[in-house]
Amino acid sequence: MLNWYLQNGKESDVVVSSRIRLARNLSNFPFVTKQTKETRHELEETIKEIVPDLGYNLKFVKLQDMDEITKMSLLEKHLVSPNFVMNKENTGAMLINDDENISVMINEEDHLRIQVMTAGLDIENLMNFCTELDEKIGKLLPYAYNEKYGFLTSCPTNVGTGLRASVMVHLPGLARTGNINKILEVINSFGMNIRGIYGEGSKVAADMYQVSNKQTLGISEAEIVKNLQLITEKIIEQERLARKILARDSIELEDKVYRAYGVLTNAKKISSEEARDLLSEVKLGTDLGIIQELTDLKVKKLELYTKPANLQKYLGKQIDSYERDIKRAEVIKQIIGEE
């Protein structure tokens, strides 16, 4: 069985993935900003003890026990946040399962960041799954909760439900037709955040955007999920419309797509940034049926294994950036040539 990030889900031509994240803190421990080394360690050990009772084949792993490539590979798969893996103290731990569709960051900004992910658009089912996991943890550990305000969090923007529901969307059609800014303004006006592929503070790259709810207080989990679902459906509709407009000038579109495919298949050396941008064109071409040579799985593999850390994981060795660019071109040819 393939991991979720190598699968296609509902509406995968536009929605790459869905994620539900819950911020939680334990009532009997100081918040992360007030922690000492001892209380941080004690919290991690407390959470480690309940892992066998949670199920889901979850494993407890400390960041300090991971090598740098493994940590960065988790970031590239969107299983952890940049702040979590790049903290200078190398502190923190996580719970993760073999399928990697559950990732619980421990001692990030909050005691727990419970995350569940899937391919395509499936926010409602994800919410149910995350709620089930959240309730299991809540029965074993006392959450910091206030009757008036809801779940208490380190950052005021997460107080209340502590819920951040998000989708990763690929919007090349809107970008190329010049309608992307209008759509982003509309999304923003509906109380949604628009961010780059690695969340807050990250840049937009390869026409990928992360759309998530802003409000967590004074609104229910069901309302947040419903609002994001509605907004996402509108984004899908507008993106597909934009792609139809692009397809009217089929020669121009096909030329651009096949030029990208040509560079990918023939390059002897290629950077991760160039591969990422070319793959945006190639994914569009594959989704529109212009490129018949690639399957959805091959596109997913190319997107994952051209990233620096996961390329090294694929090769099973650590290599410098110059050699990575050479090996990346070789790996692209290998994946494209797979039966």
Side-chain angles (χ1 to χ4, degrees):
M1 185 68 177
L2 294 168
N3 288 64
W4 66 270
Y5 42 76
L6 290 175
Q7 296 177 28
N8 263 12
K10 297 172 192 168
E11 324 293 3
S12 268
D13 58 320
V14 179
V15 183
V16 176
S17 61
S18 304
R19 183 192 71 176
I20 296 290
R21 192 203 75 199
L22 297 172
R24 297 289 187 258
N25 289 282
L26 306 189
S27 60
N28 52 345
F29 283 90
F31 277 18
V32 171
T33 51
K34 299 288 185 182
Q35 279 180 340
T36 62
K37 191 175 180 180
E38 289 72 27
T39 57
R40 185 165 55 234
H41 175 71
E42 191 184 338
L43 173 78
E44 288 174 3
E45 289 301 309
T46 299
I47 294 166
K48 185 180 179 181
E49 284 173 15
I50 70 160
V51 173
D53 298 317
L54 293 176
Y56 308 106
N57 292 315
L58 286 168
K59 295 173 181 65
F60 176 91
V61 191
K62 286 196 170 190
L63 276 188
Q64 64 187 28
D65 295 334
M66 292 184 200
D67 59 68
E68 287 304 311
I69 293 175
T70 298
K71 285 191 279 190
M72 293 311 293
S73 75
L74 292 172
L75 176 60
E76 289 172 0
K77 293 173 187 173
H78 304 283
L79 303 178
V80 294
S81 67
N83 288 343
F84 183 62
V85 293
M86 292 176 185
N87 77 79
K88 289 175 184 174
E89 290 82 20
N90 198 26
T91 57
M94 65 185 297
L95 307 181
I96 191 165
N97 63 343
D98 291 338
D99 294 337
E100 295 186 342
N101 64 326
I102 301 174
S103 167
V104 181
M105 292 182 283
I106 303 165
N107 281 332
E108 194 234 26
E109 187 176 86
D110 294 287
H111 293 157
L112 294 165
R113 286 288 176 94
I114 304 165
Q115 304 179 112
V116 295
M117 289 81 53
T118 193
L121 179 63
D122 201 8
I123 311 164
E124 291 178 10
N125 285 330
L126 264 193
M127 186 70 237
N128 293 335
F129 180 35
C130 198
T131 300
E132 179 188 284
L133 175 57
D134 179 45
E135 286 175 353
K136 279 193 173 185
I137 296 171
K139 282 177 184 172
L140 297 164
L141 299 170
Y143 283 150
Y145 186 84
N146 179 279
E147 286 300 326
K148 183 178 179 182
Y149 297 111
F151 291 99
L152 303 178
T153 56
S154 292
C155 180
T157 58
N158 291 314
V159 169
T161 59
L163 168 63
R164 194 73 64 198
S166 64
V167 289
M168 194 79 72
V169 288
H170 184 225
L171 306 178
L174 288 165
R176 284 153 188 67
T177 55
N179 291 316
I180 191 71
N181 287 333
K182 277 189 230 170
I183 294 297
L184 297 184
E185 282 170 21
V186 170
I187 295 168
N188 196 50
S189 69
F190 276 91
M192 296 285 163
N193 286 316
I194 318 293
R195 290 169 171 161
I197 55 173
Y198 293 110
E200 192 171 0
S202 65
K203 293 178 180 177
V204 172
D207 305 312
M208 290 282 189
Y209 296 82
Q210 190 186 88
V211 182
S212 63
N213 61 296
K214 280 182 186 173
Q215 193 179 351
T216 59
L217 183 62
I219 186 171
S220 69
E221 287 93 339
E223 286 174 298
I224 291 170
V225 167
K226 184 183 175 185
N227 290 345
L228 182 61
Q229 179 78 25
L230 289 171
I231 287 290
T232 306
E233 285 169 2
K234 288 293 178 190
I235 293 169
I236 293 167
E237 185 184 297
Q238 292 301 309
E239 172 60 22
R240 286 177 180 163
L241 189 62
R243 292 182 187 189
K244 279 185 181 176
I245 292 166
L246 286 177
R248 286 176 192 165
D249 189 352
S250 59
I251 297 296
E252 190 69 31
L253 180 60
E254 286 175 26
D255 181 65
K256 192 156 187 163
V257 164
Y258 267 108
R259 279 176 185 272
Y261 183 65
V263 174
L264 270 181
T265 50
N266 292 291
K268 296 291 184 186
K269 177 174 168 285
I270 191 165
S271 70
S272 59
E273 292 80 8
E274 187 182 6
R276 180 193 64 204
D277 292 339
L278 292 169
L279 280 166
S280 177
E281 299 286 353
V282 168
K283 175 172 162 51
L284 175 63
T286 306
D287 289 336
L288 291 175
I290 296 168
I291 296 179
Q292 303 287 335
E293 295 88 338
L294 287 179
T295 61
D296 291 329
L297 174 58
K298 285 184 181 181
V299 173
K300 292 277 187 184
K301 281 186 171 181
L302 288 168
E303 287 172 338
L304 178 63
Y305 295 122
T306 52
K307 292 170 181 170
N310 280 290
L311 172 67
Q312 291 173 91
K313 283 280 187 185
Y314 183 91
L315 295 168
K317 60 181 179 179
Q318 187 172 351
I319 49 178
D320 64 33
S321 60
Y322 183 81
E323 193 181 351
R324 280 203 301 270
D325 290 352
I326 296 168
K327 290 292 182 185
R328 184 176 289 108
E330 292 174 12
V331 166
I332 287 168
K333 291 182 186 69
Q334 282 173 21
I335 292 172
I336 289 173
E338 285 175 358
E339 290 297 324

